[in-house]
Amino acid sequence: MTQTVNPSLSNNSPVHRTVLNNGIVVLVAENPAADIIAGRIFIRAGSCCEPREKAGLVHLLAAVITKGCDGLSSMEIAEEVESVGASLSADTSTDYFLMSLKTVTEDFSQILSLAGRILRSPTFPTTQVELERRLSINSIRSQKEQPFTLAMEQIRRVIYQDHPYAMSVMGDENSVRNITQTDLIEYHQTYFRPDNIVISIAGRITSNEAIALVESVFGDWQIPEQPTPTSNLPEIPVEPQSQLKPVQTQQSIVMLGYLGAAVNSPNYAPLKLLSTYLGNGLSSRLFVELREKRGLAYEVSAFYPTKLYPGSFLVYMGTAPENTTIALEGLHTEVELLCTTELSETSLQTAKNKILGQYALGKQTNGQIAQIYGWYEILGLGIDYDRQFQELMAAVTPQDALITARNHFQKPYISLVGQEEAINRAISSAEL
């Protein structure tokens, strides 16, 4: 039996962290309030690890992995989960693969054992691969009918160029067609290994019980002799440009994008607060100025997703075709203001209160707790980042925000989707 090593418990964290001899990191948050246990199994194997010509591989793998494993069919897996009212699902992102499970306390051992069988010995049945491939292609086609998705796709591609972030996690029709069962097997054999895994558990279970359970399911999983492939991702040059997509639609999507910072960058916290200030909620700057006061927007927002590598900082608006030009000017003006004028202490504090309040609300359920600590661990930030995140946000000054804005918001990437005449007129005006 493998013995646990390196148990640690931060003085500032309610999470017990243990590393098993085979490299699996186990995080346990004891929460006896409800008779529920949630688990999150993270693997450092997101879409960043797949070849460009096979984009969508990990998304397809996530869809198929629960459809059969050594000794169990898709139906048998579903029946075992549903017979105890549990949930078990798989998903992927750019930076990691994730399996999520939730059960009542007495059934957690059974479902974690099932998850272990699925993760360690999936069969990727041919019929299920073909079915999920068709469903994935249908989803990709469906998204092409959504103007916002089209705008996102073209701005993502020009910002990231040769970097894997340029591609949708779902891939495109051609890349998904290129994926074979052999590709799925090879990817699984390469990245699904114990020294590449974080298991985060929260609920009515002690740390000793959880560690013993993980040991019983995963303790005999040996680290392969072959090392995990190292990521050798290309640099992301900043070369702002404009992309237009004529579509016969009743609204224009106007989107500005900027290359932001990775989560471990000093600029991450100021950018997160600027995104919150600009476009988070009904009291945000963009909503008040461009929708409430000027009536330009059907919808308007800003977002800056947290990424292992530099994330994109985006602002966008859905507006009537005749308002496309002034909508583009309005968004540009609001972002430029961040580069020329310090935020007031009051405005910055409001953004801090909003983001920290939402952060606290996002840690209420066992699933949320297991998710956030496991996510920090898989990104290499560690469980103490829960405290550090709040400290970093609180420490940002108006001058920090101004300097960061000037560093990142010099010239935008522009993505316009809408009626051809409206978007051509808008981009011509912007270039004058």
Side-chain angles (χ1 to χ4, degrees):
M1 175 73 69
T2 307
Q3 296 299 310
T4 59
V5 297
N6 189 30
S8 62
L9 183 62
S10 165
N11 293 330
N12 300 301
S13 172
V15 177
H16 186 285
R17 180 182 185 273
T18 301
V19 183
L20 307 189
N21 278 342
N22 61 2
I24 292 178
V25 178
V26 183
L27 308 177
V28 186
E30 299 181 28
N31 182 15
D35 187 26
I36 296 291
I37 301 177
R40 297 289 187 270
I41 303 174
F42 290 84
I43 299 174
R44 292 181 189 87
S47 60
C48 267
C49 301
E50 62 193 17
R52 185 75 166 248
E53 67 275 11
K54 305 279 187 178
L57 191 159
V58 195
H59 182 267
L60 184 59
L61 186 151
V64 178
I65 197 168
T66 57
K67 305 302 182 183
C69 65
D70 187 23
L72 292 175
S73 68
S74 175
M75 185 59 68
E76 288 170 330
I77 290 172
E79 286 176 349
E80 183 167 343
V81 173
E82 292 172 7
S83 68
V84 294
S87 66
L88 187 151
S89 62
D91 199 2
T92 192
S93 77
T94 54
D95 299 325
Y96 57 85
F97 172 95
L98 175 65
M99 180 166 282
S100 304
L101 51 149
K102 183 173 71 172
T103 75
V104 296
T105 303
E106 67 176 337
D107 298 323
F108 186 71
S109 174
Q110 175 187 344
I111 299 304
L112 184 67
S113 297
L114 175 62
R117 293 177 68 181
I118 292 169
L119 286 171
R120 296 177 65 173
S121 57
T123 52
F124 304 122
T126 304
T127 53
Q128 294 291 340
V129 172
E130 294 309 315
L131 172 61
E132 295 299 336
R133 186 201 312 277
R134 288 197 300 272
L135 292 173
S136 185
I137 289 173
N138 288 339
S139 294
I140 291 167
R141 289 174 177 168
S142 176
Q143 288 195 352
K144 287 183 177 179
E145 299 173 1
Q146 301 171 20
F148 175 82
T149 304
L150 293 173
M152 275 293 299
E153 179 180 358
Q154 65 182 8
I155 205 165
R156 188 175 59 237
R157 286 178 181 264
V158 295
I159 289 176
Y160 288 109
Q161 302 178 47
D162 295 328
H163 192 280
Y165 282 1
M167 296 296 289
S168 164
V169 171
M170 295 180 66
D172 58 33
E173 287 191 49
N174 290 332
S175 65
V176 172
R177 287 196 182 96
N178 287 337
I179 300 166
T180 66
Q181 183 190 49
T182 301
D183 293 326
L184 297 173
I185 293 170
E186 289 179 352
Y187 190 95
H188 176 267
Q189 290 175 342
T190 301
Y191 293 101
F192 283 57
R193 46 188 288 162
D195 54 342
N196 215 24
I197 291 178
V198 173
I199 299 179
S200 182
I201 297 169
R204 187 176 286 181
I205 188 169
T206 68
S207 58
N208 288 338
E209 290 170 341
I211 292 163
L213 185 54
V214 173
E215 283 272 15
S216 69
V217 176
F218 297 98
D220 63 341
W221 195 359
Q222 298 299 308
I223 300 173
E225 292 183 6
Q226 190 74 15
T228 307
T230 55
S231 296
N232 187 21
L233 301 181
E235 292 292 319
I236 307 170
V238 178
E239 299 171 348
Q241 54 188 285
S242 301
Q243 295 286 305
L244 282 67
K245 182 94 176 165
V247 174
Q248 277 305 113
T249 179
Q250 296 307 305
Q251 70 168 320
S252 295
I253 299 294
V254 180
M255 188 174 290
L256 305 184
Y258 307 84
L259 184 64
V263 66
N264 58 2
S265 165
N267 288 343
Y268 170 75
L271 285 170
K272 204 70 175 172
L273 284 168
L274 288 171
S275 171
T276 300
Y277 165 75
L278 272 182
N280 185 337
L282 304 184
S283 63
S284 66
R285 173 78 185 188
L286 295 180
F287 191 93
V288 171
E289 294 297 321
L290 301 181
R291 178 180 167 119
E292 293 297 289
K293 291 184 179 179
R294 299 179 63 183
L296 292 177
Y298 300 142
E299 55 180 336
V300 63
S301 189
F303 50 100
Y304 170 51
T306 300
K307 298 287 186 181
L308 185 59
Y309 303 102
S312 51
F313 189 105
L314 303 173
V315 295
Y316 84 96
M317 184 191 302
T319 191
E322 62 270 19
N323 291 333
T324 306
T325 299
I326 55 175
L328 177 57
E329 293 170 352
L331 285 175
H332 197 205
T333 297
E334 291 301 332
V335 177
E336 280 192 323
L337 270 173
L338 300 177
C339 301
T340 59
T341 308
E342 278 192 8
L343 294 184
S344 68
E345 288 282 1
T346 301
S347 294
L348 186 60
Q349 189 60 51
T350 298
K352 291 178 180 181
N353 294 344
K354 187 182 296 185
I355 201 168
L356 292 175
Q358 291 171 346
Y359 184 74
L361 290 174
K363 295 190 298 180
Q364 291 189 312
T365 69
N366 287 331
Q368 290 170 329
I369 292 167
Q371 174 75 27
I372 200 160
Y373 286 107
W375 181 48
Y376 287 155
E377 184 70 30
I378 206 71
L379 292 179
L381 300 168
I383 56 177
D384 278 345
Y385 194 75
D386 176 54
R387 170 183 53 81
Q388 293 165 10
F389 174 83
Q390 298 172 74
E391 292 174 351
L392 288 168
M393 293 299 161
V396 174
T397 66
Q399 188 175 23
D400 293 333
L402 179 65
I403 292 170
T404 302
R406 287 174 175 171
N407 286 339
H408 287 272
F409 302 155
Q410 286 306 305
K411 186 178 180 183
Y413 293 84
I414 300 175
S415 177
L416 300 178
V417 174
Q419 295 177 15
E420 186 168 10
E421 182 180 351
I423 62 176
N424 283 338
R425 188 186 312 117
I427 205 65
S428 296
S429 175
E431 291 171 351
L432 291 177

